[in-house]
Amino acid sequence: MRAEGYETSKQYAHADLVIVNTCGFIDAAVEESLGAIGEALAENGKVIVTGCLGVKNDLIRAKHPAVLAITGPHDTPAVMSAVHAHLPKPHDPYTDLIGVKLTPPHYAYLKIAEGCNHRCSFCIIPSMRGDLVSRPIGEVLQEAENLVKAGVKELLVISQDTSAYGVDVKYRTGFWQGRPLKTRMTQLCESLGQLGAWVRLHYVYPYPHVDEVIPMMAEGKILPYLDVPFQHASPRILKLMKRPANAEKVLERIRDWRAACPDITIRSTFIVGFPGETEEDFAQLLSFLKEAQLDRVGCFEYSPVEGAAANALPDPLPHEVKRHRKEQFMKTQEAISANKLKRKVGRTIKVLVDEPGVGRSSADAPEIDGVVRFKGGKAGEFRDVTVDRAGEHDLYGRLQ
Ligand code: SF4
């Protein structure tokens, strides 16, 4: 099947790159797909293959060794990564036609696994995407290397459960650049840290071995930034959520992380108004928040998702109570956040410029955290900024 809507065969030559969406169910379709790939290569030269025939990598490579990348069906992230790797400056027609928002050329999301082995009662991801399936470490690192070679300055490591990477394959040994590497978060981080880009970890479930990456953050190998969704602090609610339930231990670990890496930014998300959440549970959450002094926090009012086990729990909270608790939660956190940002005034920090006048430091993930504002700068460059002023979420300063 031809990549409908991207370019017709007569216009391949004007495209920056051609994505051929293939079909491999019946022989005739295979032939047509191979023909379309050949035509695109002849007319344009830069071709990425996706779709069902993508699983027959050898067949495609044997006939068309010059294709840039081959991805399987329903693998938009892999297509996007390949586009980023070979077309650092994507333009509107592609973003529009593909229907996916591409990140700017200087940062990219690196998906290391799909699915999740947990069964948090408010979440339906495992029922939609299944159990954890880790991508081979060599493949992930190759993609990361291609992205960095193509100009990406920051890699955002994502999955549903980043710290579980490799559990499904029993930390199998893979290979990258001829070296054996275990399919494991710590080894992945070590290797990513050698590529010369910023590496930021998202969705890190608080397993004990997360402690192993903190020294790498302290040594500057990866960004001192940890996105750990704690969700709540009341042991009773955490149990109902089917999450690890020991707030005391979490506080102790946060203290240890900060002792080992004083510059670490800890980001987390929480759910307020979970079914059965009492005033006492909520008070526990607020006192955890004050004690933990997290740098960045997101908060969601609980809302039932169709198919989630939590829907069957007794004592759902009225909307008003949920809203009020969220407000209280956010007010508490805003004061903490403002206070923490104030301590950065007078310091000179490194930022990655997203657009003239706006950049992000190690403490700021794109889209979800604050930014650093200043005059000047060019997208994609690293600059030093001296901080003059702090707001509730953003910093303001001067380029050096
Ligand atoms: S909330 Fe996260 S850890 Fe829990 S089941 Fe969903 S994806 Fe897995």
Side-chain angles (χ1 to χ4, degrees), residues 115-126 159-161 203 205 207 229 231 241-243 271:
C116 181
N117 290 345
H118 296 285
R119 294 295 181 264
C120 303
S121 59
F122 53 83
C123 177
I124 55 165
I125 284 176
S159 69
Q160 265 83 48
D161 181 6
Y203 315 124
Y205 194 90
Y207 296 106
Q231 309 299 8
M241 288 178 164
K242 294 206 163 60
R243 302 271 309 178
I271 297 173

Side-chain angles (χ1 to χ4, degrees), residues 51 67 81 132 144 196 205 218 222 323 379:
V67 296
S81 294
L132 178 83
Y205 194 90
I222 60 173
R323 196 179 51 82

